[in-house]
Amino acid sequence: MADLAVNICGIDSPNPFWLASAPPTNTGDQVARAFDAGWGGAVWKTIGEPIENTWSRYSSVDLDGHRMMGLNNIELITDRPLETNLAEIEAVKSRYPDNALIVSLMVESTREAWQRIVRQAEDAGADGVELNFGCPHGMSERGMGSAIGQVPEYCRDIVGYAKEVATKPVFVKLTPNIADIVQPARAAKAGGADAISLINTINSITGIDLDTFAPRPTVAGQSSHGGYCGPAVKPIALHMVSAIARDADAGTVPISGIGGIATWREAAEFILLGATTVQVCTAVMHWGYRIVEGMIDGLSGYLDAKGMASVNELRGRSVDRLQKWENLDLNYVIKAHIDQEACIGCGLCYIACNDGAHQAIGAERHGDRTRVWIKEDACVGCNLCSLVCPVHNCITMEEQETDHESLTWVDYSAGKGTLEPRPKHGVTITAE
Amino acid sequence: MTTVVKPSLTPRPRLTPSAAFAEAHRCLMCWDAPCIRACPTAIDIPGFIKRIAYQDDRGAARVILEANLLGDSCAHVCPTSVLCEGACVLNDVDGRPVPIGRLQAYATSPVVQGGVQLFTPAPATGKKVALVGGGPAGLACAAELTLRGHEAVVFDAAAEAGGLNTRGVADYKQPRSAALTEIAWLQDLGVAIRHNTVVGEDVTFTELLDGFDALFFGAGLGAIPVLGIPGETLPGVEDALQLIEAVKSGATPSDAFAGKRVIVLGGGNTAIDAARLAVRLGAARTVVVYRRGPDEMPAYHHEVAEARREGVAFSFWSAPHSVVGDGKVEAMRCRRTEPGAPGADGRPAVVTSDEPPFDVAAAVVLRATGQATRQSLLAELPDVATDGRGRVIVDDEQRTSQPGIWAGGDCVNGGKEVVNAVAEGMAAARSIDEELRR
Ligand SMILES: Cc1cc2nc3c(=O)[nH]c(=O)nc-3n(C[C@H](O)[C@H](O)[C@H](O)COP(=O)(O)OP(=O)(O)OC[C@H]3O[C@@H](n4cnc5c(N)ncnc54)[C@H](O)[C@@H]3O)c2cc1C
Ligand SMILES: Cc1cc2nc3c(=O)[nH]c(=O)nc-3n(C[C@H](O)[C@H](O)[C@H](O)COP(=O)(O)O)c2cc1C
Ligand code: SF4
Ligand code: SF4
Ligand code: SF4
């Protein structure tokens, strides 16, 4: 069995699976049960000044019958008294010395307020703190959360306040509601951040009740934009993690990856793009703490299969596989191939290519079935048909022999090399 | 020895909204979908299923009913496993086709059984069409004509319309009451029905041809002919169709065969339905006697399998010789048969063996050997040509050889399904409409 233990900026964790600061880490009882279930670490639900929540506070997006593809919330930070949280943090840490316990913090933007709360968290026994610069709703109206994360200078300054008193590592949690995630990441590093957590939630409105016209989640007929998370946001999160990992400056800071992780597979993807630990919220809100068992088994089985003794060997392995587009090979030619034995004749590849791509698939009735075939000379190898085909491995994209050396846009636009001939679009339309 | 299952007495319940939603999302929305091609009325199946998936249930019902105005009956009585569901591509994925029939019922029942009208007839054309027979063919034709603005008047011999869909279909598929509610929905649409009116007796074809602009013939098939064997008039020998009708209407009690041994003669779907009904009526033992083998049975294999599961036994390669009994049925005397050379239809001919006959004890013998065509009625329409088996000959628009007369349903196809009768009735309506607007 591969070793899943990790160390992030000095903090040991038995595995990379952490709970994100959110309802699953609301209370000591919950965090204790999560550690019992196997979670390596937890980031306590953000503590700060007292707040009150609305009652109705979550809404979601379903896709084709799958519940909660995306989850949206208008919840604020913890609504429990500070003393209660601190006492429970202390109790949990003393009962679970080997698990990583980070405390998420959010207070008004003064040196005093931040330093007071950092000390309180550390006194309670936290292994580290996480500065919440990410919450995009409610708190941001009060000048906190994403209102900080969106202004790199504020990020830098507040991390600086925390670092002046902190004796344990300081994580900074970034908001994705920004054009270039690298800017606040660099600012956090400049302020002295020991690790970066991302992403927090994305500004969203999940939908509207078509009978009452009230957006969701509905609070007495009204709503407010919320923060979006869950499986739908994973691609955005992966991109942002990779952008930081690839940055020469910010890329040296350890990353705790968050956003749409539900199984070991997404966790592995974040780790491949540079994350040291991963944090989970929505999937636990959906399925409970027990999902970590499958995550642990899945990841260690995967590492075993890859011949890796430790999860550390996996980290960052895909970072260099991301390039600027202009460096990609224009002479890498692939074409779709249909396994006629596996094909069930649904015709989806045909209609997708015909209406949505390059008119490179033929279809005809063959007895009571539909038969489809690839028009090799028209296929641009865009992958679309293989994406819509409902049968596993029925359409594969096959690399083709080419006559010319690989060629990037950089070289091609500089007049170098020879481009492989491109397929022509299928049908020519005239004015008549 | 297979375990006998308790036969179901009622139709499958309507899918719950969550189940319908989940099943609807399994549909791939095939291009040139094979399920549509397998539906005689060519319902846009992925179209209606995706409407269910996108929570437009009324839209789903509209798509179904536009193609098939008896879509609610069909949803319950169609042999879907040999039609749409049999063609579903998901059979090739995991053997679990989309449950098209149940999804169809999910959409149509609240509309049709709930008396919700979705359609408004076109402006009146002033044309009148007479329909002979108010079974599925006649009703579908009449309803489509009504929607196209014509006055459609259905003449039916019976006190209740619907033909075999009302009187013949097994109750565990669709009860009589549901068929009648559907007819009320069609009447609400504007279809006029003259009940208890036998064409040829209470009104003549000449009167109809004179008083109407077109005529649709959809009188179905007739009774099951007697076999002409000794003992056939003994009490206890019954026409399976009459029994089915009497049970459905409540005239025959639901425990009529309690403790009795029942024999069913025939190998078609009516024989299987009759045998399964006998089980439900409490029969101690039910044996289907058929003069050919299991592979030659015209009945659907899935229905035969269900009958076996319910405890029905089969005596193949057995031909009725006579009914034995003293004042009432005591046994069915049969002779062994064997396959001979293949006949014109490709099936082996039946050769009666020389072995002495054998008796199967029985108190009831049900004749289910196939319905006769309506020869005497058709004789009143001498210009309407029929084939060698007495079926009305039509072209691809359901026109008979006599101008002004269209036909469809069992009287044309020799006895298929409700959905075929509907398809033919609606095709005839489109052709009549075109003709009347010329
Ligand atoms: C026992 C049994 C079970 C069946 N089960 C199924 C099933 O589960 N699913 C399925 O799809 N199909 C089933 N069928 C077949 C289906 O019922 C028929 O194919 C369908 O009803 C044919 O419709 P039709 O309109 O052509 O004829 P019919 O349904 O036979 O209707 C003919 C109508 O014409 C009327 N009529 C006849 N003569 C005259 C006259 N002279 N004047 C006025 N009216 C007249 C009759 O009263 C009747 O209402 C079953 C058939 C039988 C016999
Ligand atoms: C393959 C692909 C190519 C696209 N190309 C363009 C483009 O050239 N110009 C543009 O403005 N948007 C482009 N878009 C974005 C779409 O117009 C649209 O804004 C986006 O897909 C979001 O809409 P949707 O997810 O609802 O389809 C493209 C999207 C896809 C999927
Ligand atoms: S890869 Fe793209 S162009 Fe080629 S057949 Fe598939 S959809 Fe068409
Ligand atoms: S999408 Fe796949 S299964 Fe469907 S027709 Fe195309 S190749 Fe066959
Ligand atoms: S064949 Fe099956 S999957 Fe395809 S459209 Fe029809 S019901 Fe849907």
Side-chain angles (χ1 to χ4, degrees), chain A residues 64 344 346 350 365 369-370, chain B residues 25 30-32 37 89 92:
Chain A
D64 286 4
I344 59 171
C346 67
Y350 164 76
R365 290 185 180 184
R369 297 183 63 110
T370 299
Chain B
H25 275 296
C30 295
W31 173 78
D32 191 17
R37 288 185 248 157
V89 299
D92 286 2

Side-chain angles (χ1 to χ4, degrees), chain B residues 254-300:
Chain B
S254 62
D255 59 354
F257 290 171
K260 294 186 179 171
R261 287 167 171 257
V262 178
I263 283 184
V264 181
L265 304 177
N269 285 317
T270 301
I272 301 301
D273 272 14
R276 297 182 67 187
L277 179 63
V279 171
R280 285 163 174 76
L281 294 176
R285 181 168 166 75
T286 305
V287 182
V288 173
V289 170
Y290 181 50
R291 60 199 186 114
R292 299 176 201 252
D295 296 339
E296 286 82 17
M297 267 199 299
Y300 293 123

